[in-house]
Amino acid sequence: MTDRRVRVRFAPSPTGPLHIGGVRTALYNYLFARQHGGDMVFRIEDTDSNRFVPGAEDYIIESFRWLGIQFDEGVSFGGEHGPYRQSERRDIYKVYVKQLLDEGKAYIAFDTPDELNAKREAVANFQYDAHTRMQMRNSLTLGQAETQRLISEGQQYVVRFLVQPGEEIHVHDIIRGDVRVMSDILDDKVLYKSADELPTYHLANIVDDHLMDISHVIRGEEWLPSAPLHVLLYRAFGWADTMPQFAHLPLLLKPDGKGKLSKRDGDRLGFPVFPLEWHDPKSGEVSSGYRESGYLPEAVINFLALLGWNPGTDQELLSMHELIDQFDLAKCSKSGAKFDYVKGQWFNREYLLRTDDAVLAPQFMALLHEQGISTTPERAAAVVGMMKMKKINFIKDLWPLCDFFFLAPQYDKDDKFTRKNWKEGTAADMLALRQLLEGIDDFSIEAQKAAVDAWAAATGIKPWNPWRVCLVGTGKGPDMYELAAFLGKDETLRRMDAALQALA
Ligand code: GLU
């Protein structure tokens, strides 16, 4: 089996927006597939029609497009193992359900929900299994003829897997090592329901992993309890030789480490738990997303990659290429990973600093637009470049730091910085500086700097802080020459005049 082609799948159920934990699962599958030159399949597990949510599938596809996680096959990507939406594979599953029935490895059960509930109430810890199945209404107790009669009468039924007691089941997990359980603890799981003519998750998942030639099943820890049943199903079908290898990823925990991360933690502490904003089609509720909150996709990828795995060095900033190169499934942690969202913000800041200003400009322009300001992409990029090294985690944090680039300041004699820097004689100094600047033709940073520095040296005047008062109105902003060059000569002189008037 060692030279088997690596084929992994991400197989969400379209029951709502993709949770950030699901994104991490997909990312680990992607890193593993790319590392081994293998394939990544996108399958939609929509056999539970009650839980289907319109729009969820498109949302998931758009999330991965934004994040740069690419699939090789699957829903919307095509491929030779389709269809990749389980609701379009009904006929395939029926063949395999029939195979198990014909071979006596599954049986038909008629127990209604009410009957099952009554049983659960009567018997503590009731489980439908070898000890109880002969007390129930199924093909094993009713016999072939009666079973056929009930079906032809139109009675709804389910198909249950017949779990033989006393078998040892061995699950090998790449992350968790060997897990051994006895088949006795399992119940006779429902594999198929006549009511909607659809299989349940377990059957569809196994049949598809087999038919799609999946070599590794990398998924969240919440699926670990299903693994023994899945092993039994592989055996029952005679596919044990090509059974995928399992790797169950650690849970994402609340920021304080106590319990599983939930949407409520995000709401409470103010961070998104979904990749994109989600508008719930039923309730109309809007949940925030990483994209709309101003995260860069590279930052989200880097942050998620390190929740449950690390490269074993001090390196924290890893590009997708480096992650593909260094990722090691076997070194994923077994214990849950705390969702340190503050670290996620730090990653965003680091990626902002490393991202081209022109790429960041559209986000900043949108922010300006909300303030009723329109500017060119070049000017937006210039401001981002001057200001992004200030303490910001998101482009949206820039507005309060950058308003004066676009709006003439209000002057306030009581402003602390102004009071400290606008003294007697300052007005005269600023008037002199104004005259000097008016005489400069080349208003570039370099030319201004040469002229002003020379003048300052000759006169002993230190004009920079009062000049800042003139152009900004207070003690914030970039280097004065950068700012004046950005504003241009006319606006610079206009602001100096306004300040001289207001602060006289
Ligand atoms: N449909 C399951 C889910 O929603 C897939 C679990 C698996 O990967 O086996 O996560």
Side-chain angles (χ1 to χ4, degrees):
M1 277 306 96
T2 45
D3 50 6
R4 183 174 186 185
R5 182 174 177 80
V6 166
R7 284 177 58 80
V8 297
R9 83 306 194 266
F10 182 65
S13 300
T15 54
L18 184 60
H19 190 270
I20 200 72
V23 178
R24 192 217 30 196
T25 299
L27 173 62
Y28 281 19
N29 273 281
Y30 177 71
L31 297 176
F32 185 75
R34 283 291 171 273
Q35 179 169 76
H36 294 276
D39 307 319
M40 165 107 160
V41 177
F42 180 56
R43 184 169 77 219
I44 288 288
E45 302 208 325
D46 56 349
T47 56
D48 188 349
S49 46
N50 297 324
R51 296 181 60 216
F52 178 83
V53 174
E57 184 183 299
D58 288 341
Y59 174 96
I60 296 170
I61 293 171
E62 175 60 14
S63 299
F64 292 128
R65 201 197 54 72
W66 177 64
L67 288 161
I69 293 176
Q70 290 154 14
F71 290 87
D72 303 291
E73 283 175 38
V75 171
S76 89
F77 305 102
E80 285 170 14
H81 297 76
Y84 292 95
R85 209 179 268 116
Q86 290 187 329
S87 58
E88 293 166 20
R89 298 170 66 80
R90 288 165 197 263
D91 294 342
I92 299 175
Y93 305 124
K94 281 186 189 160
V95 174
Y96 291 97
V97 172
K98 185 167 180 312
Q99 180 187 329
L100 292 180
L101 284 171
D102 289 349
E103 293 176 357
K105 293 171 178 166
Y107 60 93
I108 287 170
F110 296 100
D111 319 271
T112 62
D114 285 347
E115 286 168 348
L116 287 169
N117 279 337
K119 196 81 187 170
R120 279 187 205 111
E121 263 164 42
V123 182
N125 302 323
F126 171 76
Q127 174 164 290
Y128 209 120
D129 62 14
H131 298 288
T132 58
R133 66 171 82 103
M134 295 315 282
Q135 307 157 19
M136 307 300 289
R137 253 176 9 102
N138 54 48
S139 54
L140 304 174
T141 54
L142 300 171
Q144 189 78 16
E146 177 65 359
T147 299
Q148 281 316 316
R149 196 187 65 75
L150 290 174
I151 292 176
S152 54
E153 227 178 46
Q155 282 230 5
Q156 298 298 357
Y157 62 91
V158 299
V159 175
R160 285 184 182 271
F161 188 41
L162 193 144
V163 177
Q164 302 286 3
E167 280 187 48
E168 189 179 66
I169 311 166
H170 175 199
V171 182
H172 179 75
D173 188 288
I174 296 173
I175 298 171
R176 278 146 220 281
D178 284 328
V179 184
R180 280 170 208 276
V181 296
M182 292 305 289
S183 60
D184 305 58
I185 65 164
L186 302 181
D187 65 334
D188 292 354
K189 272 275 173 314
V190 173
L191 300 180
Y192 178 86
K193 297 195 206 96
S194 69
D196 52 12
E197 294 187 81
L198 277 169
T200 57
Y201 155 73
H202 300 288
L203 184 102
N205 189 267
I206 288 334
V207 167
D208 286 351
D209 282 350
H210 174 72
L211 295 179
M212 295 177 186
D213 200 15
I214 298 302
S215 64
H216 294 78
V217 165
I218 304 167
R219 62 184 172 189
E221 181 180 281
E222 62 273 29
W223 301 99
L224 186 60
S226 304
L229 169 70
H230 292 185
V231 171
L232 283 186
L233 278 166
Y234 275 102
R235 274 197 221 160
F237 281 120
W239 301 333
D241 284 352
T242 54
M243 186 168 81
Q245 282 192 261
F246 292 108
H248 289 92
L249 305 175
L251 276 182
L252 292 187
L253 303 177
K254 293 179 190 302
D256 66 7
K258 294 190 187 115
K260 202 177 142 192
L261 177 72
S262 74
K263 176 163 151 37
R264 239 171 305 138
D265 301 314
D267 294 342
R268 185 168 54 91
L269 299 165
F271 64 87
V273 295
F274 301 122
L276 314 179
E277 193 169 271
W278 168 254
H279 297 247
D280 190 282
K282 260 208 207 118
S283 67
E285 191 197 345
V286 179
S287 306
S288 67
Y290 278 83
R291 180 175 67 182
E292 291 73 13
S293 302
Y295 283 82
L296 293 167
E298 298 83 359
V300 177
I301 292 286
N302 196 157
F303 168 52
L304 289 181
L306 298 182
L307 291 175
W309 170 82
N310 68 73
T313 63
D314 288 344
Q315 190 181 359
E316 287 191 288
L317 295 170
L318 293 114
S319 68
M320 189 73 105
H321 282 297
E322 290 172 305
L323 289 170
I324 290 170
D325 205 42
Q326 298 185 31
F327 182 67
D328 187 347
L329 193 54
K331 295 223 174 95
C332 288
S333 76
K334 290 197 229 335
S335 49
K338 268 190 227 173
F339 196 80
D340 183 357
Y341 69 99
V342 177
K343 189 79 191 189
Q345 296 171 351
W346 176 84
F347 272 109
N348 206 54
R349 166 172 174 69
E350 292 300 316
Y351 276 88
L352 282 180
L353 293 176
R354 284 162 181 77
T355 301
D356 209 40
D357 299 332
V359 174
L360 302 173
Q363 240 196 79
F364 187 50
M365 285 174 82
L367 193 70
L368 292 178
H369 189 79
E370 281 170 25
Q371 301 290 337
I373 293 165
S374 68
T375 189
T376 62
E378 291 73 25
R379 283 178 76 75
V383 173
V384 169
M386 279 184 266
M387 300 301 286
K388 72 177 181 183
M389 70 290 287
K390 306 277 169 185
K391 282 199 163 58
I392 59 155
N393 294 325
F394 302 101
I395 289 293
K396 63 171 181 275
D397 300 339
L398 275 179
W399 174 246
L401 304 178
C402 291
D403 49 353
F404 58 86
F405 282 99
F406 306 96
L407 303 174
Q410 303 286 323
Y411 300 101
D412 176 5
K413 284 182 186 159
D414 291 332
D415 170 73
K416 215 170 136 205
F417 184 82
T418 305
R419 227 174 33 218
K420 194 161 164 234
N421 291 291
W422 200 275
K423 308 239 163 75
E424 259 197 65
T426 302
D429 295 346
M430 286 301 104
L431 206 56
L433 177 62
R434 189 203 181 286
Q435 247 139 30
L436 175 83
L437 292 170
E438 194 176 16
I440 300 178
D441 288 330
D442 177 359
F443 217 66
S444 69
I445 297 172
E446 299 72 27
Q448 278 184 69
K449 183 171 164 51
V452 176
D453 283 0
W455 171 77
T459 58
I461 296 171
K462 293 200 170 61
W464 300 285
N465 280 351
W467 193 20
R468 186 174 298 281
V469 172
C470 293
L471 300 194
V472 180
T474 189
K476 64 182 181 184
D479 172 80
M480 286 311 294
Y481 301 118
E482 282 186 56
L483 174 58
F486 176 87
L487 293 175
K489 187 155 133 184
D490 288 353
E491 179 64 10
T492 298
L493 298 183
R494 209 170 8 242
R495 289 191 186 187
M496 294 183 80
D497 289 340
L500 282 164
Q501 221 176 19
L503 300 171

